[in-house]
Amino acid sequence: MAVSDNHRTEAPTRRGVHERLGVLPPAGEPVPFDPRRTLPLRIEFIRQLKRRRTQLVALVLLLLPILVAIAFKVGGQQTSGGAALVDIATTGATNFALFTEFAAIGFLLVVIVALFCGDTVASEASWSSLRYLLAVPVPRSRLLRQKLVVSLTLSFGANLLLPLWGYVVGGLFFGWAPARSPLGGSFTTSEAVTRLVIVVGYACVQSLVVAGLAFLLGVMTDAPLGAVGGAVLLVVVSNILDSISALDPYRRYLPTHYQYSWLDALGPTVVWDDMLRGIGLSLVYAAVFLGAAWVRFQRKDITS
Amino acid sequence: MKLPRLRRPRRRRTVVALVVAGAIVLALAVLVVVTRPAGVHTVSRFVAGTPESDGRPVQLDTTLYLPASAPAPAILLAHGFGGDKTDLDTQARDLARAGYVVLTYSARGFGKSGGLVHLDAPAFEVADGSKLVDYLATQVSVRKDSDGDPRIGVAGSSYGGGLALLLAGTDHRIDAVGADITWNSLQRALFPNGAATGPGVFKKLWAGYLFQAAHGSGPTDPSCGRFAPDVCAAYQRAAQSGTPDAAMSTLLRASSPESILASITAPTLLIQGEQDSLFPLTEADANARGIAAHGTPVKVIWRSGGHDGRSQTDDVRLAFQSWFDARLRAKGSESSPFQFAVRGAGLSAASGRTISQTRQVDAGYPGIDGRPTLTETVTIQGRPQQISAPAGGNPAAVSVLPQLGDALDAAQGAGASNPFQSISSLSGQVARFASDPLPDRMLVAGASTVRLVVTAQTTTDAILFISLHDLGSDTDVLPSGLVTPVRLTGLVAGAPREVTLTLPSVVRLIAAGHRLVLTVATTDLAYRLPTDPRTYTVALAGGGTEALTVATVDAHTVRPGRPLAWLITGVVAVLLVMAGVAWWARRRRRASKRDPELAEVPIAIQDLGKEYGDGYRAVDGVTFRVERGQVVGLLGPNGAGKTTILRMLVGLITPTRGQIHVFGQPIQPGAAVLSRIGAFIEGPGFLPHLSGRENLRLFWEASGRPLDDADFETALQIAGLGASIDRKVKTYSHGMKQRLAIAQAMLGLPELLVLDEPTNGLDPPQIAEMREVLQRYALTGRTVMISSHLLAEVEQTCTHVVVMHKGALIAAGSVHDIAGNGRMQLAVPDPARAAQVLAGAGITAQTVPARRALEDVFLDLVAGE
């Protein structure tokens, strides 16, 4: 246990850090450590919120309803023949919010959810910071759990932000008239709020499928683009297969088949049938994907 | 030394296996699809029908569709007016594939069949039907109830439906009937009257269109075409006068099911269209009542579409098929006896458009078998109004035109203004009586009734057209475009007459807040109008207000399936997966074999090995120990396995063999003892969008330990970045990131410091500084482990060395032992003179250049700056 006795004691050392180390107390008792308190949610939120892509997504979501409202103002009301929600989009704030939700849910919100959930683990791998987090040590299961919670919070936040902001923009542009149902009749304010909550809640549950797959792909590959692209590809393929009526009894099991079932909440009474089916299907897919992600991550050799 | 490949790489084998399995599955699927049973076998023949009244024989063009299995029940399909047997081809094939013998034929006077059109007269078309039943009775492939009595059902739409009902009433071998959009009384259909006082107004557009549709090129005169002379003459008389004479009434009555409803014993399915101005829902209502009055089972379906709208032929075929399955083959369960479609009651999840929903009444069709009809009362108000009919019947309001109903209906969309508003409701011709806004939504299903007081100012008869409108805040919809004509006769000019009128039978869901508007008009383009100008006064029977009796039905929406089962499956799946993952993770965690003897030993590696899937061994049986206070160098060329060992040391890679104990605790991913290790492995890893200081702070906070324990000051001094610490990491050079990463490893001053090539990318002063830091670090009782392939560095920095090559340990021990005996050096200021002196003493000496001279010189130069 001897320092090699050589001629290096006169080495040029400008900053004298080693002097500081010389007056350090020796290593004492090991500090108590609780792996269950690692990677608090607050820390993970700070790490994700300051990213440029989070700010860009927020910007896109804020701009979209404004652009749509301007388009309606400039282009005029569309004549009937399209989707029922388009015809009444400019009658008031709530209808405008419902229309932007209808237009965005098929693709834009899918991309956003895939972005948040697929990129979170894969980007840590690409920055090489994943191995340092795991060496803290943050247990693997806890790392996934915290990251998933933060990603889902951001995804659901985006899901919530769009209709809320659409409501505000719709009100500013088209007035605050009470909500009209596309099947005729209108809602009181409290009814309209309840229906909007149901719609947003259902959209959040539906996005769990994309979130689960993107998370799994993010764990499996180290490329953020692969994770996001793969999840979006699944949704596109599922939509294509869903439009082929020859597949009929089996179409019900496609992950995006009940994507628009929240339209059933806009009638005079809420019809829960298809929404219940959609929730069940999403839960099954999400459970399978996330379970696979957990198992994969526990066994994986981290080489990034 | 080349290791022999003993077996194929495992990964490649699984990939090949998967591809082969996928190819087999695909081939099987293609095989199944391609070898599906081919189309149905058909036999086309001419069958002799009833001869014409002048004795000429008539041949009927038929096609027999045979199913795969025999014997099977038979279905006789009849086509609509103006068509022939080819219209039924798809339907017949589908039914044959479902296992029926299907016979389609062209009715007399249509297609290639001979004869003339007698409008389903019992002596001709219905007798033809009986002859076809005889024909089917001779076929071997048809199942028979008894000799000469095949098991047979009859189905048809419109003209064919009328034939089906008439045939079932006359030939009792028929076992089941399906009639779609057909009539009960042809006279009532062509001369409807909402006041039910004799024949009403001639439905001229429909009648003329139908007459034209059957016109074909025939043997008789061009004005009658292939119509029988009596039918043709009757029609032409009625078209000119506007009322049916006695001959026409007899003819029409003979051709209507109303005359034989009492003798129908076969179970009957009646389907009627909600968008049908030729045979409205009241025709099916009359049929149902008449048939059910004699105890025969009746099922009624009101479907969307009809003569005015596009209909899904698939829906009709499926309804027929399930009806015949239940009645001819006793297969399948009976659905409810009354079903109707409500348009615009649902939103399609696929396109977002409004679609119709099917509602069913399990109790059965109201009005038959003693079931009550439900009604609701709505109060309408309005003062007496004067309306006039123009001279020549021109301009006339447009409500619906034959075959164009869909186009007009589409224009009355949910939110758009009706472009036909100006011609569907002409001012001066219309009297309106509106209700208050409805408090709740209301389902109108059926024909409503109202009492009015009508005064004809100058004539003794009155011709009016009544309808019920759905008035919203910016929409005015005429449901299905239907109006009912009213013809009142025997009036006294100027004297009021009170009448009870029946409004059109429609199905519509009126939204809350909408109003019901009773509209009375004097013209309609589809009907024959009087040519003289007239004036009427129309008022409500109850003075200023009147109760409108609205027909409705208590029904529930058809919602097949059990959606709750799906939700439960989803929740169960989530719980199962969570439990499964937790169980699996706990099973993987080996029983923590703490070794108390090794509690003071920083690193104890025992027979460590890592073998990859393709057989490559990165680490092969490595055993060594590191004691406290040592600076250990892990030495070896590139690919020796140094980095693999370090990754296994911090739990990033799982060894395939052997154990690592750090301070007595076994190493697993996420083991708590890793908190006593500070690691720098294979390069820095920072979040590029945050500053260096934030990176360090967040890293420390991610460990959950208090900020004070981190000793940031020391770490920042070690990094030595100065003001750059607050710039974003993406602006750093490699050397800055390297130093910051090493400082991050030293956060909290861990007891064991593991550094993988720490001097990579540092310049010589920094390397020397680092060397000094590490040595001082070890002096405090902490342990340092460095891996490098720079022999000189390791020799200078480390106290102990572990040498590896190709995954195996070659040597381990102190630097002193391994690097050879400590050779001493004697330093003299003048080497040349010293060599002379030694030579004079008889000792051979040789001058060699001093080792590491360049480094000394370089460091001196740089230090002075």
Side-chain angles (χ1 to χ4, degrees), chain A residues 21-270:
Chain A
L21 285 175
V23 301
L24 265 185
E29 283 303 310
V31 188
F33 175 77
D34 187 2
R36 288 171 306 182
R37 296 189 53 196
T38 51
L39 199 56
L41 283 178
R42 183 180 62 92
I43 299 302
E44 182 61 23
F45 261 115
I46 297 175
R47 289 163 114 248
Q48 298 299 334
L49 279 175
K50 287 195 171 214
R51 291 184 65 176
R52 185 55 59 85
R53 61 114 201 252
T54 314
Q55 297 155 359
L56 277 178
V57 161
L59 192 68
V60 164
L61 285 179
L62 290 178
L63 275 184
L64 182 73
I66 298 179
L67 288 176
V68 171
I70 292 176
F72 269 123
K73 276 281 191 193
V74 168
Q77 175 60 53
Q78 178 172 336
T79 54
S80 72
L85 280 174
V86 180
D87 301 334
I88 50 174
T90 54
T91 51
T94 323
N95 285 107
F96 184 75
L98 284 173
F99 170 70
T100 44
E101 183 79 0
F102 176 68
I105 216 167
F107 198 66
L108 178 66
L109 287 176
V110 166
V111 170
I112 289 175
V113 170
L115 188 64
F116 281 133
C117 295
D119 169 88
T120 181
V121 172
S123 56
E124 295 275 355
S126 68
W127 296 327
S128 304
S129 57
L130 184 64
R131 58 176 180 250
Y132 289 109
L133 270 186
L134 290 174
V136 164
V138 179
R140 298 211 182 177
S141 178
R142 185 170 169 88
L143 181 95
L144 283 189
R145 195 185 89 182
Q146 302 296 80
K147 283 197 167 288
L148 184 67
V149 166
V150 169
S151 310
L152 284 181
T153 308
L154 290 176
S155 308
F156 291 168
N159 265 328
L160 190 65
L161 177 68
L162 184 66
L164 280 185
W165 179 241
Y167 182 81
V168 171
V169 168
L172 291 175
F173 274 77
F174 302 112
W176 308 92
R180 287 233 312 236
S181 165
L183 301 176
S186 44
F187 299 121
T188 60
T189 315
S190 62
E191 260 301 293
V193 166
T194 320
R195 301 302 175 90
L196 209 52
V197 164
I198 293 174
V199 167
V200 170
Y202 183 74
C204 285
V205 174
Q206 280 295 98
S207 64
L208 283 178
V209 178
V210 176
L213 180 66
F215 200 72
L216 171 64
L217 291 177
V219 163
M220 279 171 48
T221 73
D222 289 339
L225 207 61
V228 176
V232 172
L233 190 68
L234 168 85
V235 170
V236 168
V237 168
S238 177
N239 278 329
I240 291 174
L241 289 178
D242 202 19
S243 62
I244 300 174
S245 48
L247 289 173
D248 230 324
Y250 306 110
R251 274 198 297 173
R252 298 190 304 168
Y253 303 109
L254 288 171
T256 58
H257 183 71
Y258 295 103
Q259 206 175 24
Y260 287 100
S261 293
W262 53 267
L263 290 172
D264 288 346
L266 301 180
T269 55
V270 181

Side-chain angles (χ1 to χ4, degrees), chain B residues 209-573:
Chain B
Y209 175 79
L210 288 174
F211 190 75
Q212 185 58 35
H215 211 253
S217 57
T220 51
D221 69 289
S223 66
C224 277
R226 294 180 76 178
F227 272 101
D230 52 347
V231 175
C232 180
Y235 165 74
Q236 284 172 337
R237 283 196 306 273
Q240 284 176 322
S241 67
T243 51
D245 54 8
M248 182 159 202
S249 288
T250 321
L251 210 121
L252 292 179
R253 190 178 161 76
S255 295
S256 301
E258 70 175 338
S259 54
I260 47 90
L261 284 179
S263 45
I264 296 183
T265 51
T268 308
L269 169 66
L270 296 168
I271 308 178
Q272 204 71 4
E274 289 171 12
Q275 278 79 44
D276 197 331
S277 56
L278 176 59
F279 302 133
L281 296 172
T282 45
E283 299 297 311
D285 185 67
N287 274 333
R289 285 169 196 261
I291 297 174
H294 301 276
T296 312
V298 171
K299 174 171 169 168
V300 180
I301 298 179
W302 289 351
R303 66 173 174 90
S304 55
H307 283 97
D308 289 337
R310 263 174 317 190
S311 43
Q312 304 282 61
T313 44
D314 248 13
D315 290 345
V316 174
R317 174 184 62 82
L318 285 171
F320 281 156
Q321 190 175 315
S322 58
W323 179 251
F324 288 133
D325 278 345
R327 296 296 169 175
L328 295 179
R329 297 205 281 199
K331 190 171 85 159
S333 61
E334 266 293 335
S335 54
S336 65
F338 177 38
Q339 252 173 261
F340 60 98
V342 182
R343 261 183 146 201
L347 280 176
S348 157
S351 65
R353 294 166 194 259
T354 52
I355 54 174
S356 57
Q357 250 181 4
T358 310
R359 308 236 171 140
Q360 59 191 21
V361 182
D362 290 326
Y365 189 71
I368 61 177
D369 296 339
R371 285 179 216 110
T373 49
L374 275 182
T375 54
E376 284 187 36
T377 311
V378 174
T379 310
I380 52 176
Q381 300 114 300
R383 36 171 200 75
Q385 294 163 54
Q386 264 208 341
I387 50 178
S388 65
N394 218 15
V398 177
S399 60
V400 68
L401 298 174
Q403 304 290 295
L404 291 183
D406 224 24
L408 291 179
D409 208 39
Q412 299 191 65
S417 59
N418 184 358
F420 296 98
Q421 191 70 37
S422 54
I423 58 170
S424 63
S425 181
L426 300 167
S427 62
Q429 296 181 7
V430 176
R432 283 200 184 87
F433 306 93
S435 72
D436 285 332
L438 296 175
D440 287 319
R441 49 190 183 110
M442 177 188 291
L443 176 67
V444 176
S448 315
T449 54
V450 69
R451 283 181 316 149
L452 291 178
V453 172
V454 178
T455 314
Q457 303 293 6
T458 51
T459 53
T460 57
D461 66 341
I463 292 184
L464 296 169
F465 299 90
I466 55 171
S467 57
L468 199 61
H469 284 238
D470 173 8
L471 183 69
S473 53
D474 53 355
T475 57
D476 183 0
V477 176
L478 177 60
S480 304
L482 294 177
V483 303
T484 298
V486 170
R487 186 200 189 99
L488 304 169
T489 51
L491 298 174
V492 176
R497 164 87 71 91
E498 181 173 312
V499 283
T500 305
L501 300 176
T502 311
L503 290 159
S505 184
V506 293
V507 177
R508 184 159 177 94
L509 197 57
I510 315 275
H514 284 206
R515 298 166 195 259
L516 285 175
V517 179
L518 171 70
T519 312
V520 184
T522 55
T523 59
D524 192 280
L525 193 61
Y527 292 87
R528 190 176 185 283
L529 299 167
T531 48
D532 53 320
R534 303 155 172 230
T535 322
Y536 309 101
T537 308
V538 181
L540 294 172
T545 67
E546 177 59 32
L548 174 70
T549 311
V550 176
T552 186
V553 180
D554 186 17
H556 67 271
T557 317
V558 175
R559 298 226 188 95
R562 287 185 302 270
L564 215 52
W566 288 64
L567 182 65
I568 294 174
T569 311
V571 172
V572 164

Side-chain angles (χ1 to χ4, degrees), chain B residues 57-288:
Chain B
V58 168
Q59 294 288 333
L60 298 171
D61 185 19
T62 71
T63 304
L64 191 66
Y65 295 80
L66 296 165
S69 63
I75 297 182
L76 179 65
L77 287 181
H79 63 83
F81 208 73
D84 59 19
K85 71 173 187 181
T86 54
D87 298 339
L88 301 165
D89 187 62
T90 334
Q91 213 176 354
R93 279 181 195 275
D94 287 333
L95 284 170
R97 262 191 282 267
Y100 290 97
V101 175
V102 183
L103 181 66
T104 64
Y105 73 105
S106 297
R108 64 194 301 133
F110 293 106
K112 295 202 196 110
S113 296
L116 302 170
V117 179
H118 288 264
L119 273 191
D120 278 348
F124 295 98
E125 275 91 355
V126 183
D128 286 343
S130 273
K131 288 204 161 37
L132 290 170
V133 178
D134 293 334
Y135 169 64
L136 279 171
T138 64
Q139 296 296 313
V140 168
S141 49
V142 175
R143 184 154 33 126
K144 311 235 189 340
D145 290 334
S146 64
D147 206 24
D149 179 5
R151 176 149 285 230
I152 183 170
V154 189
S157 289
S158 190
Y159 190 60
L163 176 86
L165 287 173
L166 288 165
L167 187 60
T170 51
D171 189 333
H172 293 278
R173 294 176 289 177
I174 306 291
D175 299 304
V177 181
D180 178 42
I181 52 173
T182 191
W183 68 93
N184 167 265
S185 160
L186 208 48
Q187 173 159 317
R188 188 178 58 234
L190 292 178
F191 300 90
N193 190 353
T197 56
V201 189
F202 185 42
K203 205 177 272 186
K204 72 169 192 221
L205 281 189
W206 260 119
Y209 175 79
L210 288 174
F211 190 75
Q212 185 58 35
H215 211 253
S217 57
T220 51
D221 69 289
S223 66
C224 277
R226 294 180 76 178
F227 272 101
D230 52 347
V231 175
C232 180
Y235 165 74
Q236 284 172 337
R237 283 196 306 273
Q240 284 176 322
S241 67
T243 51
D245 54 8
M248 182 159 202
S249 288
T250 321
L251 210 121
L252 292 179
R253 190 178 161 76
S255 295
S256 301
E258 70 175 338
S259 54
I260 47 90
L261 284 179
S263 45
I264 296 183
T265 51
T268 308
L269 169 66
L270 296 168
I271 308 178
Q272 204 71 4
E274 289 171 12
Q275 278 79 44
D276 197 331
S277 56
L278 176 59
F279 302 133
L281 296 172
T282 45
E283 299 297 311
D285 185 67
N287 274 333

Side-chain angles (χ1 to χ4, degrees), chain B residues 26-46:
Chain B
L26 203 64
L28 277 177
V30 168
L31 207 67
V32 164
V33 165
V34 159
T35 60
R36 250 179 7 164
V40 185
H41 183 54
T42 62
V43 175
S44 293
R45 297 181 54 177
F46 279 94

